[in-house]
Amino acid sequence: MAKKSVASLQTGSKRLTKAIKMVKSPKTGAYTFVESIMQPEAVNDFFKQK
């Protein structure tokens, strides 16, 4: 798994982060990208989970 990018987004009074990671499929071996928009504090947990 590899971290592709992290971008900070600011909407009104909320501060959000968009994180994109590359995940390898165990079945086919192909890589896919998983995107998520979350609080900045949750980014490390997002990258640690498989």
Side-chain angles (χ1 to χ4, degrees), residues 35-50:
E35 299 182 23
S36 182
I37 296 176
M38 66 196 79
Q39 298 291 328
E41 298 83 27
V43 172
N44 289 333
D45 294 333
F46 174 73
F47 287 119
K48 286 181 184 176
Q49 62 178 259
K50 291 188 178 188

Side-chain angles (χ1 to χ4, degrees), residues 6-26:
V6 175
S8 295
L9 308 172
Q10 202 156 5
T11 58
S13 63
K14 292 185 179 180
R15 184 184 158 120
L16 300 173
T17 301
K18 180 177 182 180
I20 304 169
K21 69 178 174 180
M22 192 167 59
V23 179
K24 186 174 184 179
S25 172

